[in-house]
Amino acid sequence: MITLKSPREIEAMAKSGAILAGMHVGLRDIIKPGISSWDIEEFARKYFKEHDAVAAQIGFEGYEYATCVSVNDEICHGFPRKNLILKEGDLVKVDTVVDYHGAFSDSCWSYVVGKATPEVERLMEVTKKAMYLGIDQAKVGNRIGDIGAAIQKYVEEENGYGDVREFIGHGIGPTMHESPNVPHYGEAGKGVRLREGMTITIEPMVNIGDWRADMSDPDGWVARTADGSLSCQYEHTIVITKDGPKILTSQDPDIDAKYLYHP
């Protein structure tokens, strides 16, 4: 069932999103060569606790961690690991969900360890722009397919990358995952019509090579690119308003000025 959020609920989700965004901003000073991906997990847990928030992924369908930390060819759902030491040039995706007094927010951000190669830098730029192109389509009266079509055209037709199909965005609040599904591929003009008050995630995962995922890892969680190529992801939680899409997990009020939610 799709739920339309009240102004009070949206404002609460914005507070949750601000905490999540703050954690991501803090990671910019944490992620560097020589740390383990477990250090990211510890930082996130501490940050959420200090801000009176709950790491909502812990216990979700048996998942044991506050974050998913996926590196290089890992598309998503990588465990934070004490023995995974980050090295110069690694591409790290950190995905997490915050519950702040019952209000949920969800965001993934990509980081390069040290200095990015031109290959990684371009992949990150394309993936982030793809997310914003999808966000721009999240307007009252448009359809879910408009979001996916804009992302797929840019990722695959214009840049020749792989647009992951197996993992998609979703509705959010008052639970972590709810309707509607939000694919990052599809046909414009198709799917659920977007309405004011809907809160969804837009979270394209983009591979340098083929779009397909390898789900054969014995842990049952981590997904890798089928061809071993690098993968990148960016994700925001947004609300659809009469004034356009508004980002609830923004990390930069200047870059996101036109997308900021004002109660």
Side-chain angles (χ1 to χ4, degrees):
M1 182 178 69
I2 298 172
T3 61
L4 303 180
K5 309 306 186 296
S6 68
R8 179 187 60 80
E9 290 173 311
I10 296 167
E11 188 170 354
M13 290 179 70
K15 292 177 181 177
S16 174
I19 294 170
L20 180 44
M23 189 282 297
H24 275 301
V25 170
L27 284 179
R28 299 174 192 176
D29 295 326
I30 299 297
I31 294 177
K32 61 186 69 173
I35 74 162
S36 72
S37 65
W38 185 256
D39 292 323
I40 295 172
E41 171 77 4
E42 288 190 323
F43 175 81
R45 290 190 185 214
K46 183 173 183 288
Y47 190 94
F48 295 152
K49 184 177 182 180
E50 289 174 347
H51 290 80
D52 194 27
V54 174
Q57 288 184 166
I58 298 176
F60 179 75
E61 295 184 353
Y63 194 73
E64 299 178 4
Y65 310 99
T67 62
C68 294
V69 183
S70 307
V71 181
N72 293 333
D73 68 329
E74 295 174 344
I75 298 173
C76 60
H77 302 161
F79 293 165
R81 288 149 279 183
K82 294 179 180 179
N83 62 351
L84 177 54
I85 305 302
L86 302 182
K87 63 184 186 300
E88 184 82 16
D90 280 344
L91 178 56
V92 181
K93 290 80 67 175
V94 181
D95 190 3
T96 187
V97 182
V98 163
D99 174 359
Y100 179 68
H101 298 185
F104 282 75
S105 60
D106 187 357
S107 180
C108 178
W109 216 249
S110 289
Y111 306 84
V112 66
V113 181
K115 183 175 176 57
T117 65
E119 180 183 50
V120 168
E121 189 170 9
R122 179 170 178 263
L123 176 62
M124 294 173 74
E125 289 175 354
V126 168
T127 307
K128 185 184 289 186
K129 183 174 179 180
M131 176 184 67
Y132 278 100
L133 288 172
I135 290 172
D136 286 338
Q137 292 298 317
K139 299 180 288 190
V140 173
N142 274 8
R143 294 184 179 273
I144 288 291
D146 296 316
I147 297 171
I151 292 172
Q152 185 176 16
K153 180 177 185 294
Y154 178 69
V155 168
E156 296 190 336
E157 295 181 22
E158 297 182 23
N159 286 282
Y161 287 153
D163 183 14
V164 173
R165 312 284 202 274
E166 290 93 340
F167 304 96
I168 59 178
H170 50 86
I172 183 171
T175 57
M176 189 185 305
H177 290 165
E178 56 185 52
S179 296
N181 290 332
V182 186
H184 306 106
Y185 59 93
E187 186 176 346
K190 301 293 186 180
V192 172
R193 192 173 296 279
L194 303 175
R195 299 171 60 190
E196 182 179 357
M198 291 173 64
T199 49
I200 62 174
T201 70
I202 296 177
E203 48 182 298
M205 302 170 204
V206 177
N207 303 340
I208 283 182
D210 191 88
W211 60 264
R212 292 171 179 83
D214 177 0
M215 294 296 298
S216 65
D217 195 286
D219 65 27
W221 283 96
V222 66
R224 292 181 168 83
T225 57
D227 59 5
S229 64
L230 292 172
S231 184
C232 187
Q233 182 189 8
Y234 287 94
E235 173 189 15
H236 273 314
T237 295
I238 71 165
V239 58
I240 297 166
T241 79
K242 65 181 187 301
D243 299 317
K246 302 300 178 183
I247 296 172
L248 301 179
T249 49
S250 173
Q251 300 177 29
D252 192 320
D254 294 324
I255 291 176
D256 292 335
K258 73 174 184 177
Y259 300 106
L260 297 181
Y261 177 73
H262 301 288

Short mmCIF file of all heavy atoms in Angstrom, two decimals, residues 194-243:
data_model
loop_
_atom_site.label_atom_id
_atom_site.label_comp_id
_atom_site.label_asym_id
_atom_site.label_seq_id
_atom_site.Cartn_x
_atom_site.Cartn_y
_atom_site.Cartn_z
N LEU A 194 2.57 9.55 -9.80
CA LEU A 194 3.15 10.15 -8.61
C LEU A 194 2.21 11.21 -8.04
O LEU A 194 1.64 12.02 -8.77
CB LEU A 194 4.52 10.76 -8.95
CG LEU A 194 5.52 9.76 -9.55
CD1 LEU A 194 6.80 10.48 -9.97
CD2 LEU A 194 5.83 8.65 -8.57
N ARG A 195 2.11 11.21 -6.71
CA ARG A 195 1.18 12.10 -6.03
C ARG A 195 1.89 12.88 -4.92
O ARG A 195 2.89 12.41 -4.36
CB ARG A 195 0.02 11.30 -5.43
CG ARG A 195 -0.82 10.54 -6.43
CD ARG A 195 -1.79 9.61 -5.76
NE ARG A 195 -2.72 10.32 -4.89
CZ ARG A 195 -3.55 9.72 -4.04
NH1 ARG A 195 -3.56 8.39 -3.94
NH2 ARG A 195 -4.35 10.44 -3.28
N GLU A 196 1.36 14.02 -4.61
CA GLU A 196 1.90 14.83 -3.53
C GLU A 196 1.86 14.04 -2.22
O GLU A 196 0.85 13.40 -1.89
CB GLU A 196 1.09 16.11 -3.40
CG GLU A 196 1.61 17.06 -2.33
CD GLU A 196 0.80 18.34 -2.24
OE1 GLU A 196 -0.14 18.52 -3.04
OE2 GLU A 196 1.12 19.17 -1.35
N GLY A 197 2.96 14.08 -1.48
CA GLY A 197 3.03 13.39 -0.20
C GLY A 197 3.67 12.02 -0.26
O GLY A 197 3.91 11.40 0.78
N MET A 198 3.97 11.53 -1.47
CA MET A 198 4.69 10.25 -1.57
C MET A 198 6.15 10.45 -1.19
O MET A 198 6.77 11.44 -1.59
CB MET A 198 4.58 9.68 -2.99
CG MET A 198 3.19 9.21 -3.36
SD MET A 198 3.04 8.73 -5.11
CE MET A 198 4.13 7.33 -5.19
N THR A 199 6.70 9.54 -0.42
CA THR A 199 8.12 9.56 -0.07
C THR A 199 8.77 8.31 -0.63
O THR A 199 8.32 7.19 -0.34
CB THR A 199 8.34 9.66 1.44
OG1 THR A 199 7.53 8.68 2.11
CG2 THR A 199 7.96 11.05 1.95
N ILE A 200 9.82 8.48 -1.42
CA ILE A 200 10.47 7.37 -2.11
C ILE A 200 11.99 7.54 -2.08
O ILE A 200 12.49 8.62 -1.77
CB ILE A 200 10.00 7.26 -3.57
CG1 ILE A 200 10.38 8.53 -4.35
CG2 ILE A 200 8.51 7.00 -3.66
CD1 ILE A 200 10.09 8.45 -5.85
N THR A 201 12.68 6.47 -2.39
CA THR A 201 14.13 6.56 -2.60
C THR A 201 14.42 6.43 -4.09
O THR A 201 13.74 5.68 -4.81
CB THR A 201 14.90 5.46 -1.85
OG1 THR A 201 14.65 4.19 -2.46
CG2 THR A 201 14.50 5.43 -0.38
N ILE A 202 15.42 7.17 -4.54
CA ILE A 202 15.95 7.02 -5.89
C ILE A 202 17.43 6.71 -5.72
O ILE A 202 18.17 7.49 -5.14
CB ILE A 202 15.72 8.29 -6.72
CG1 ILE A 202 14.19 8.51 -6.89
CG2 ILE A 202 16.42 8.19 -8.07
CD1 ILE A 202 13.82 9.76 -7.64
N GLU A 203 17.86 5.53 -6.20
CA GLU A 203 19.17 5.00 -5.81
C GLU A 203 19.83 4.18 -6.93
O GLU A 203 20.08 2.99 -6.76
CB GLU A 203 19.05 4.15 -4.55
CG GLU A 203 17.90 3.13 -4.57
CD GLU A 203 17.81 2.35 -3.27
OE1 GLU A 203 18.78 1.64 -2.92
OE2 GLU A 203 16.77 2.46 -2.60
N PRO A 204 20.12 4.81 -8.06
CA PRO A 204 20.71 4.05 -9.16
C PRO A 204 22.04 3.42 -8.80
O PRO A 204 22.87 4.02 -8.12
CB PRO A 204 20.87 5.10 -10.27
CG PRO A 204 20.90 6.41 -9.56
CD PRO A 204 19.99 6.24 -8.39
N MET A 205 22.22 2.19 -9.27
CA MET A 205 23.49 1.48 -9.16
C MET A 205 24.00 1.29 -10.58
O MET A 205 23.29 0.75 -11.43
CB MET A 205 23.30 0.14 -8.46
CG MET A 205 22.69 0.30 -7.07
SD MET A 205 22.20 -1.26 -6.33
CE MET A 205 20.95 -0.67 -5.17
N VAL A 206 25.21 1.76 -10.83
CA VAL A 206 25.73 1.83 -12.18
C VAL A 206 27.06 1.08 -12.26
O VAL A 206 27.96 1.34 -11.45
CB VAL A 206 25.91 3.30 -12.62
CG1 VAL A 206 26.53 3.38 -14.01
CG2 VAL A 206 24.56 4.03 -12.59
N ASN A 207 27.16 0.19 -13.22
CA ASN A 207 28.38 -0.59 -13.43
C ASN A 207 29.12 -0.08 -14.66
O ASN A 207 28.50 0.27 -15.67
CB ASN A 207 28.05 -2.07 -13.66
CG ASN A 207 27.27 -2.69 -12.52
OD1 ASN A 207 27.27 -2.17 -11.40
ND2 ASN A 207 26.59 -3.79 -12.79
N ILE A 208 30.44 -0.10 -14.60
CA ILE A 208 31.21 0.26 -15.78
C ILE A 208 30.94 -0.71 -16.92
O ILE A 208 30.88 -0.33 -18.09
CB ILE A 208 32.72 0.32 -15.45
CG1 ILE A 208 33.03 1.61 -14.69
CG2 ILE A 208 33.56 0.23 -16.71
CD1 ILE A 208 34.49 1.80 -14.35
N GLY A 209 30.74 -1.97 -16.58
CA GLY A 209 30.49 -3.00 -17.60
C GLY A 209 29.03 -3.40 -17.68
O GLY A 209 28.14 -2.55 -17.71
N ASP A 210 28.80 -4.70 -17.68
CA ASP A 210 27.45 -5.25 -17.82
C ASP A 210 26.60 -4.91 -16.60
O ASP A 210 27.11 -4.78 -15.49
CB ASP A 210 27.53 -6.76 -17.99
CG ASP A 210 26.23 -7.38 -18.42
OD1 ASP A 210 25.98 -7.46 -19.63
OD2 ASP A 210 25.44 -7.79 -17.52
N TRP A 211 25.27 -4.80 -16.80
CA TRP A 211 24.39 -4.42 -15.70
C TRP A 211 24.09 -5.58 -14.76
O TRP A 211 23.60 -5.37 -13.64
CB TRP A 211 23.07 -3.86 -16.24
CG TRP A 211 22.27 -4.80 -17.12
CD1 TRP A 211 22.28 -4.84 -18.48
CD2 TRP A 211 21.34 -5.80 -16.69
NE1 TRP A 211 21.41 -5.82 -18.94
CE2 TRP A 211 20.81 -6.42 -17.85
CE3 TRP A 211 20.88 -6.24 -15.45
CZ2 TRP A 211 19.87 -7.45 -17.82
CZ3 TRP A 211 19.94 -7.27 -15.40
CH2 TRP A 211 19.45 -7.85 -16.57
N ARG A 212 24.39 -6.78 -15.14
CA ARG A 212 23.95 -7.94 -14.36
C ARG A 212 24.73 -8.10 -13.06
O ARG A 212 25.91 -7.78 -12.98
CB ARG A 212 24.07 -9.21 -15.20
CG ARG A 212 23.08 -9.25 -16.35
CD ARG A 212 23.34 -10.40 -17.30
NE ARG A 212 22.37 -10.43 -18.38
CZ ARG A 212 22.45 -9.68 -19.48
NH1 ARG A 212 23.49 -8.88 -19.64
NH2 ARG A 212 21.53 -9.77 -20.42
N ALA A 213 24.03 -8.66 -12.06
CA ALA A 213 24.63 -8.89 -10.75
C ALA A 213 24.89 -10.37 -10.53
O ALA A 213 24.14 -11.23 -11.02
CB ALA A 213 23.71 -8.36 -9.64
N ASP A 214 25.94 -10.67 -9.78
CA ASP A 214 26.26 -12.03 -9.37
C ASP A 214 25.86 -12.17 -7.91
O ASP A 214 26.41 -11.50 -7.03
CB ASP A 214 27.76 -12.26 -9.53
CG ASP A 214 28.21 -13.64 -9.06
OD1 ASP A 214 27.36 -14.42 -8.58
OD2 ASP A 214 29.42 -13.92 -9.13
N MET A 215 24.89 -13.03 -7.66
CA MET A 215 24.35 -13.21 -6.31
C MET A 215 24.80 -14.53 -5.69
O MET A 215 24.15 -15.04 -4.79
CB MET A 215 22.82 -13.15 -6.35
CG MET A 215 22.26 -11.80 -6.74
SD MET A 215 22.67 -10.54 -5.52
CE MET A 215 21.82 -11.19 -4.09
N SER A 216 25.90 -15.08 -6.15
CA SER A 216 26.32 -16.41 -5.71
C SER A 216 27.13 -16.41 -4.43
O SER A 216 27.52 -17.48 -3.95
CB SER A 216 27.14 -17.09 -6.82
OG SER A 216 28.35 -16.39 -7.06
N ASP A 217 27.40 -15.24 -3.85
CA ASP A 217 28.20 -15.20 -2.63
C ASP A 217 27.53 -16.04 -1.54
O ASP A 217 26.32 -15.90 -1.30
CB ASP A 217 28.36 -13.75 -2.14
CG ASP A 217 29.46 -13.62 -1.10
OD1 ASP A 217 29.23 -14.04 0.04
OD2 ASP A 217 30.53 -13.10 -1.45
N PRO A 218 28.28 -16.87 -0.86
CA PRO A 218 27.67 -17.77 0.13
C PRO A 218 27.04 -17.06 1.32
O PRO A 218 26.23 -17.67 2.03
CB PRO A 218 28.85 -18.66 0.58
CG PRO A 218 30.08 -17.91 0.20
CD PRO A 218 29.72 -17.15 -1.03
N ASP A 219 27.39 -15.79 1.57
CA ASP A 219 26.78 -15.11 2.71
C ASP A 219 25.32 -14.75 2.45
O ASP A 219 24.58 -14.40 3.38
CB ASP A 219 27.56 -13.86 3.11
CG ASP A 219 27.56 -12.77 2.05
OD1 ASP A 219 26.61 -12.69 1.25
OD2 ASP A 219 28.52 -11.97 2.01
N GLY A 220 24.89 -14.84 1.19
CA GLY A 220 23.50 -14.59 0.86
C GLY A 220 23.11 -13.13 0.75
O GLY A 220 21.96 -12.81 0.49
N TRP A 221 24.06 -12.23 0.95
CA TRP A 221 23.76 -10.80 0.94
C TRP A 221 24.47 -10.06 -0.18
O TRP A 221 23.83 -9.42 -1.01
CB TRP A 221 24.12 -10.17 2.29
CG TRP A 221 23.14 -10.44 3.38
CD1 TRP A 221 23.21 -11.42 4.33
CD2 TRP A 221 21.92 -9.73 3.64
NE1 TRP A 221 22.13 -11.38 5.16
CE2 TRP A 221 21.33 -10.34 4.77
CE3 TRP A 221 21.29 -8.64 3.05
CZ2 TRP A 221 20.12 -9.90 5.31
CZ3 TRP A 221 20.09 -8.19 3.58
CH2 TRP A 221 19.51 -8.82 4.69
N VAL A 222 25.79 -10.09 -0.17
CA VAL A 222 26.54 -9.20 -1.07
C VAL A 222 26.29 -9.54 -2.53
O VAL A 222 26.28 -10.70 -2.93
CB VAL A 222 28.05 -9.23 -0.74
CG1 VAL A 222 28.66 -10.59 -1.02
CG2 VAL A 222 28.77 -8.14 -1.51
N ALA A 223 26.07 -8.50 -3.32
CA ALA A 223 25.90 -8.64 -4.77
C ALA A 223 27.11 -8.01 -5.45
O ALA A 223 27.52 -6.89 -5.11
CB ALA A 223 24.62 -7.95 -5.23
N ARG A 224 27.67 -8.71 -6.41
CA ARG A 224 28.80 -8.21 -7.17
C ARG A 224 28.44 -8.08 -8.65
O ARG A 224 27.49 -8.71 -9.12
CB ARG A 224 30.00 -9.16 -7.03
CG ARG A 224 30.60 -9.20 -5.62
CD ARG A 224 31.79 -10.15 -5.57
NE ARG A 224 32.55 -10.01 -4.33
CZ ARG A 224 32.22 -10.61 -3.19
NH1 ARG A 224 31.16 -11.40 -3.13
NH2 ARG A 224 32.96 -10.42 -2.11
N THR A 225 29.22 -7.30 -9.37
CA THR A 225 29.03 -7.24 -10.81
C THR A 225 29.38 -8.59 -11.40
O THR A 225 30.36 -9.23 -10.99
CB THR A 225 29.89 -6.15 -11.45
OG1 THR A 225 31.27 -6.38 -11.12
CG2 THR A 225 29.49 -4.77 -10.93
N ALA A 226 28.60 -9.04 -12.37
CA ALA A 226 28.81 -10.36 -12.96
C ALA A 226 30.13 -10.44 -13.71
O ALA A 226 30.73 -11.52 -13.81
CB ALA A 226 27.65 -10.71 -13.89
N ASP A 227 30.61 -9.30 -14.23
CA ASP A 227 31.84 -9.30 -15.01
C ASP A 227 33.04 -8.75 -14.26
O ASP A 227 34.11 -8.57 -14.83
CB ASP A 227 31.64 -8.52 -16.32
CG ASP A 227 31.24 -7.07 -16.07
OD1 ASP A 227 31.20 -6.63 -14.89
OD2 ASP A 227 30.95 -6.36 -17.06
N GLY A 228 32.87 -8.47 -12.96
CA GLY A 228 33.99 -7.98 -12.15
C GLY A 228 34.30 -6.51 -12.32
O GLY A 228 35.30 -6.02 -11.78
N SER A 229 33.45 -5.78 -13.03
CA SER A 229 33.70 -4.35 -13.24
C SER A 229 33.30 -3.54 -12.00
O SER A 229 32.58 -4.02 -11.13
CB SER A 229 32.92 -3.85 -14.46
OG SER A 229 31.53 -3.95 -14.25
N LEU A 230 33.76 -2.31 -11.95
CA LEU A 230 33.43 -1.42 -10.83
C LEU A 230 31.97 -1.04 -10.84
O LEU A 230 31.34 -0.91 -11.90
CB LEU A 230 34.28 -0.15 -10.89
CG LEU A 230 35.78 -0.30 -10.66
CD1 LEU A 230 36.48 1.02 -10.94
CD2 LEU A 230 36.06 -0.76 -9.23
N SER A 231 31.42 -0.80 -9.65
CA SER A 231 30.03 -0.38 -9.51
C SER A 231 29.95 0.81 -8.56
O SER A 231 30.72 0.91 -7.60
CB SER A 231 29.17 -1.53 -8.96
OG SER A 231 27.81 -1.16 -8.91
N CYS A 232 29.01 1.70 -8.83
CA CYS A 232 28.83 2.91 -8.03
C CYS A 232 27.36 3.09 -7.70
O CYS A 232 26.48 2.62 -8.45
CB CYS A 232 29.35 4.11 -8.82
SG CYS A 232 29.40 5.66 -7.89
N GLN A 233 27.06 3.77 -6.60
CA GLN A 233 25.67 4.04 -6.21
C GLN A 233 25.58 5.35 -5.46
O GLN A 233 26.44 5.69 -4.64
CB GLN A 233 25.10 2.92 -5.34
CG GLN A 233 23.64 3.15 -4.96
CD GLN A 233 23.11 2.18 -3.92
OE1 GLN A 233 23.87 1.39 -3.35
NE2 GLN A 233 21.83 2.20 -3.67
N TYR A 234 24.50 6.09 -5.75
CA TYR A 234 24.08 7.23 -4.94
C TYR A 234 22.59 7.09 -4.68
O TYR A 234 21.84 6.61 -5.53
CB TYR A 234 24.36 8.55 -5.65
CG TYR A 234 25.82 8.92 -5.70
CD1 TYR A 234 26.60 8.60 -6.80
CD2 TYR A 234 26.42 9.59 -4.63
CE1 TYR A 234 27.95 8.93 -6.85
CE2 TYR A 234 27.77 9.93 -4.67
CZ TYR A 234 28.51 9.61 -5.77
OH TYR A 234 29.85 9.93 -5.81
N GLU A 235 22.17 7.54 -3.49
CA GLU A 235 20.75 7.42 -3.11
C GLU A 235 20.34 8.58 -2.22
O GLU A 235 21.03 8.93 -1.27
CB GLU A 235 20.52 6.11 -2.37
CG GLU A 235 19.12 5.97 -1.79
CD GLU A 235 18.98 4.76 -0.86
OE1 GLU A 235 20.02 4.21 -0.45
OE2 GLU A 235 17.84 4.40 -0.54
N HIS A 236 19.18 9.14 -2.54
CA HIS A 236 18.52 10.09 -1.66
C HIS A 236 17.10 9.62 -1.36
O HIS A 236 16.46 8.94 -2.19
CB HIS A 236 18.43 11.47 -2.30
CG HIS A 236 19.63 12.34 -2.09
ND1 HIS A 236 20.23 12.50 -0.86
CD2 HIS A 236 20.32 13.15 -2.95
CE1 HIS A 236 21.25 13.35 -0.96
NE2 HIS A 236 21.33 13.74 -2.22
N THR A 237 16.61 10.00 -0.19
CA THR A 237 15.18 9.91 0.12
C THR A 237 14.56 11.25 -0.26
O THR A 237 15.08 12.30 0.11
CB THR A 237 14.96 9.63 1.61
OG1 THR A 237 15.49 8.34 1.93
CG2 THR A 237 13.47 9.67 1.96
N ILE A 238 13.45 11.19 -0.99
CA ILE A 238 12.79 12.42 -1.42
C ILE A 238 11.32 12.39 -1.09
O ILE A 238 10.73 11.32 -0.86
CB ILE A 238 12.97 12.67 -2.94
CG1 ILE A 238 12.15 11.66 -3.75
CG2 ILE A 238 14.44 12.59 -3.34
CD1 ILE A 238 11.98 12.04 -5.20
N VAL A 239 10.70 13.56 -1.07
CA VAL A 239 9.25 13.69 -0.96
C VAL A 239 8.76 14.43 -2.20
O VAL A 239 9.41 15.37 -2.68
CB VAL A 239 8.83 14.41 0.33
CG1 VAL A 239 9.44 15.82 0.43
CG2 VAL A 239 7.29 14.49 0.43
N ILE A 240 7.64 13.99 -2.73
CA ILE A 240 7.03 14.63 -3.89
C ILE A 240 6.05 15.69 -3.39
O ILE A 240 5.12 15.38 -2.63
CB ILE A 240 6.34 13.59 -4.78
CG1 ILE A 240 7.38 12.61 -5.31
CG2 ILE A 240 5.59 14.26 -5.93
CD1 ILE A 240 6.81 11.36 -5.91
N THR A 241 6.27 16.92 -3.79
CA THR A 241 5.43 18.04 -3.35
C THR A 241 4.86 18.77 -4.56
O THR A 241 5.30 18.56 -5.70
CB THR A 241 6.23 19.05 -2.49
OG1 THR A 241 7.02 19.88 -3.36
CG2 THR A 241 7.14 18.35 -1.50
N LYS A 242 3.92 19.66 -4.31
CA LYS A 242 3.34 20.45 -5.39
C LYS A 242 4.38 21.39 -6.00
O LYS A 242 4.20 21.88 -7.13
CB LYS A 242 2.14 21.25 -4.89
CG LYS A 242 2.46 22.32 -3.86
CD LYS A 242 1.19 23.03 -3.41
CE LYS A 242 1.47 24.22 -2.49
NZ LYS A 242 2.20 23.84 -1.27
N ASP A 243 5.47 21.62 -5.27
CA ASP A 243 6.56 22.47 -5.76
C ASP A 243 7.72 21.67 -6.33
O ASP A 243 8.81 22.21 -6.51
CB ASP A 243 7.06 23.37 -4.62
CG ASP A 243 5.98 24.29 -4.09
OD1 ASP A 243 5.24 24.87 -4.91
OD2 ASP A 243 5.88 24.42 -2.85
#
